[in-house]
Amino acid sequence: EPEVTQTPSHQVTQMGQEVILRCVPISNHLYFYWYRQILGQKVEFLVSFYNNEISEKSEIFDDQFSVERPDGSNFTLKIRSTKLEDSAMYFCASGELRPYEQYFGPGTRLTVT
Amino acid sequence: ELKVEQNPLFLSMQEGKNYTIYCNYSTTSDRLYWYRQDPGKSLESLFVLLSNGAVKQEGRLMASLDTKARLSTLHITAAVHDLSATYFCAEETSGSRLTFGEGTQLTVNP
């Protein structure tokens, strides 16, 4: 069964460093998303992406964040200068069409020290 | 402000018992999702409810949606230990963003 994959599974970085989180969505999906979950808290929407552009972003998704689909398969989230409060689990999700369900990847745990 | 409220947030129940988790949401959306999350794991889609009055069942779980009351329920029938997990409801709003509730941590005791 097709699934969303994410790499790395765990990333440790120092405050101020740039990180890139990678996702490979399900191949025929058209809608792509990033969410994050701070430990013990609810899942929060960051950004949605369709037709090679951002369709919506939350207030969390400030200038430090960017997304890219550099080729036909990968979808990346870049954090330019990480802060301690960026420590969280980051989930990528993809969807075939709206309003169909979003399929979540296994997540990347980001630890900023 | 978009708000999705679940209750209870913590639920400890015995095997074989029934219980309902409630999810209230704030907008006029008619699309509501239920996900399951095991500790340290990702989100597994359980149900997609797309219209008022929608009811879906899978095994011991049944979900329903009342868009007029802005309420969805997840009913657990004859709980078993394997159902122990955190359950999230999520409302779909503009741009297909999902706004999640805080989650209900369910523990089923033998």
Side-chain angles (χ1 to χ4, degrees), chain B residues 25-62:
Chain B
Y25 58 96
S26 61
T27 75
T28 55
S29 171
D30 57 1
R31 299 181 198 129
L32 198 290
Y33 301 75
W34 284 95
Y35 285 88
R36 168 183 171 144
Q37 186 179 41
D38 291 292
K41 303 289 187 184
S42 187
L43 295 149
E44 175 192 351
S45 177
L46 293 175
F47 299 107
V48 179
L49 303 169
L50 298 177
S51 60
N52 186 40
V55 176
K56 290 199 174 177
Q57 182 159 8
E58 181 74 35
R60 300 175 190 272
L61 300 178
M62 183 173 72

Side-chain angles (χ1 to χ4, degrees), chain A residues 6 31 33 35 37 40-45 48 55-59 89 91 98-107 109, chain B residues 2-4 31 33 35 37 40-48 50 88 92-103:
Chain A
Q6 290 184 244
Y31 294 84
Y33 311 85
Y35 293 83
Q37 184 179 33
Q41 298 187 22
K42 65 180 178 181
V43 179
E44 300 174 293
F45 169 81
S48 59
S55 45
E56 189 177 2
K57 59 185 180 180
S58 72
E59 52 285 350
M89 183 76 95
F91 292 107
R98 290 190 59 222
Y100 293 171
E101 61 199 297
Q102 297 178 21
Y103 294 85
F104 282 74
R109 179 166 296 286
Chain B
L2 298 171
K3 205 167 170 75
V4 179
R31 299 181 198 129
Y33 301 75
Y35 285 88
Q37 186 179 41
K41 303 289 187 184
S42 187
L43 295 149
E44 175 192 351
S45 177
L46 293 175
F47 299 107
V48 179
L50 298 177
F88 290 95
E92 182 186 317
T93 54
S94 63
S96 69
R97 145 198 315 224
L98 293 182
T99 299
F100 283 81
E102 292 183 12

Side-chain angles (χ1 to χ4, degrees), chain A residues 23-52:
Chain A
C23 167
V24 178
I26 295 173
S27 63
N28 61 335
H29 285 187
L30 302 175
Y31 294 84
F32 313 111
Y33 311 85
W34 284 101
Y35 293 83
R36 78 171 186 193
Q37 184 179 33
I38 295 169
L39 187 63
Q41 298 187 22
K42 65 180 178 181
V43 179
E44 300 174 293
F45 169 81
L46 293 177
V47 66
S48 59
F49 193 87
Y50 169 71
N51 201 24
N52 281 322

